[in-house]
Every structure is written in structure tokens, then in C-alpha cells.
Amino acid sequence: MNFRKVSDRELRCSVSVEEIRAKGLEVSDLLKRSEKTYEFFEYLVQEGQEETGFEKSGPMSVEGIFLNGTLELIFRSVDEDEAGEWEERENEEEYYEAPMPSLPDIDPENGEVLKLVQVRFASAGLLYRFCQLLPFAEKVPSSLYQADGSYVLILDLDNCTRSEIGAFCMLANEYGAQSTYGDLQASQVMEHGRHVCDDAVYHIHEMKPMEQ
């Protein structure tokens, strides 16, 4: 992992998937507010303080995005007004906001519609790993195609909550080679790709783990 002090209020951290897993977490776990997630963020801040001289003063927020196998995190000190609001809402001494990946500009929980999503995978192994880790595979309609030497999943996320879409995006960034939003792009794969099967995410999720 690598740390950089940007200012007295901001600390940046780059942490690999292997380092996250060494702490008993998956990247998708960091979308959830849990004791393990909080402890992991606290550990990163402490390491960053020792390495860069950054001085933590009071509550901090954290934002993050997964890029090229690395989770890029930004820790920021919270001002008094924000801290007061969070203390009243959460009744906690400190507060960490789970990092969110880049998401489409929609809100499914308010009835907005998410267009079809396609995720390309460079290998069957990466496709398998993605489907096995997706915790809500049974509620996602999907079709699997082969196109341009890749495996392509086309998924409908309309019935997913925003937190579920966040978890999906984390896994897609981790295991997929490319993610594209849009019905037109999906229809091009449907027209020109070779259809493999429907309900692919659910069927692969239900498969027994591969023997080593």
C-alpha cells in the first residue's frame, strides 16, 4: 500500500486487492458499514499517519474508486458542522462513509430505470469468479455471449438497490475488462455475438466451486 499526504485535512491511500484480502475482506465488503470495514479504514489511517506524518483530528470521511486492480481512497477531515450532523445521526464518536464506485446517474430506489449493462471478461475464470461472488445473483436477469474473443454478460439491474449496484460495480471493476451502460451497446452484442445461455449469473453462482 502507498500513502500520500495531500494537505493537513486530506490523506490519500492506494491499496491492492491482495492487501485487502490479507485483512479478511473482499473489495465489495468495503461498500458495507460494518465493524470489519471500520477497523480496516482505521488501520489505513494509522498506517498513513506513521508513514506521512499526517495528523488525524476528529471524524473523517472516505471516498474511493477501484482502478486497475488498486483501490484508491481519499480520507478527509470532517468540519464541525458535518461532524455534528453525523454525530446526531449515527451517535458515534467517529464516522467513515463507505467508498462508492462510479455509478450511472440514476436512483433505482426512486423508480428510475437503469439501462442494460454489459461486462466483458477476458477469461472464463474471471467470469466464474465474478458470478460466484455476486451476493444477489438470483435477482439479476442476465444473458451470456461470446463476442470479439471475450465473454460478455448482459445484465438488467432494475430490481437492484443502490448499494447492490455499488457492490456490482466493485466486482465488475475487479474482474471485468470493461463495463458499458446502454441498451444500444447491449443490442449490438446481442445481434453480433454468439449467445451462450440465459440466466448465466444465477447458474454460474449456483455451480460448485472449482477444484484446485
Side-chain angles (χ1 to χ4, degrees):
M1 58 187 66
N2 181 54
F3 297 93
R4 182 163 65 93
K5 177 182 176 181
V6 178
S7 69
D8 290 340
R9 293 174 54 87
E10 184 174 310
L11 174 69
R12 299 202 176 195
C13 170
S14 300
V15 57
S16 69
V17 174
E18 291 75 16
E19 289 167 328
I20 293 171
R21 289 177 177 161
K23 293 295 181 181
L25 295 163
E26 292 290 342
V27 174
S28 55
D29 292 330
L30 301 184
L31 285 168
K32 308 167 187 175
R33 293 182 187 176
S34 68
E35 185 176 346
K36 288 183 66 176
T37 300
Y38 176 86
E39 289 175 352
F40 180 67
F41 290 150
E42 183 67 21
Y43 162 78
L44 291 178
V45 172
Q46 289 176 357
E47 291 292 308
Q49 290 183 105
E50 293 179 7
E51 185 171 319
T52 68
F54 178 81
E55 294 184 6
K56 176 183 172 184
S57 57
M60 301 192 73
S61 67
V62 57
E63 299 173 1
I65 188 169
F66 195 85
L67 295 172
N68 301 321
T70 301
L71 183 62
E72 304 290 341
L73 295 168
I74 303 174
F75 293 94
R76 291 192 180 92
S77 297
V78 177
D79 62 34
E80 292 183 2
D81 291 337
E82 291 175 306
E85 292 176 4
W86 284 342
E87 184 176 357
E88 181 177 335
R89 185 177 64 205
E90 300 291 337
N91 194 27
E92 292 180 352
E93 186 173 317
E94 296 180 284
Y95 176 85
Y96 285 96
E97 180 179 316
M100 291 296 293
S102 299
L103 297 175
D105 189 19
I106 55 93
D107 187 354
E109 293 179 342
N110 286 334
E112 296 183 45
V113 177
L114 176 66
K115 295 181 182 296
L116 292 175
V117 181
Q118 63 168 294
V119 184
R120 289 182 177 267
F121 299 88
S123 70
L126 292 170
L127 167 66
Y128 174 86
R129 184 69 173 159
F130 169 86
C131 295
Q132 286 277 299
L133 290 174
L134 196 67
F136 47 93
E138 73 283 351
K139 70 184 292 185
V140 181
S142 63
S143 297
L144 178 62
Y145 291 80
Q146 283 187 310
D148 302 323
S150 302
Y151 291 93
V152 183
L153 272 178
I154 295 179
L155 310 100
D156 182 350
L157 303 181
D158 276 350
N159 293 325
C160 296
T161 65
R162 189 168 183 82
S163 62
E164 288 173 336
I165 293 173
F168 163 85
C169 288
M170 281 289 200
L171 288 172
N173 284 335
E174 185 171 353
Y175 295 101
Q178 182 185 33
S179 300
T180 306
Y181 298 88
D183 295 345
L184 176 61
Q185 293 87 339
S187 67
Q188 291 174 343
V189 174
M190 294 177 183
E191 182 178 353
H192 300 291
R194 183 176 73 84
H195 180 253
V196 177
C197 68
D198 292 321
D199 294 324
V201 173
Y202 173 74
H203 290 311
I204 297 174
H205 182 80
E206 293 298 301
M207 290 172 62
K208 294 181 179 179
M210 292 180 176
E211 295 183 2
Q212 299 296 324

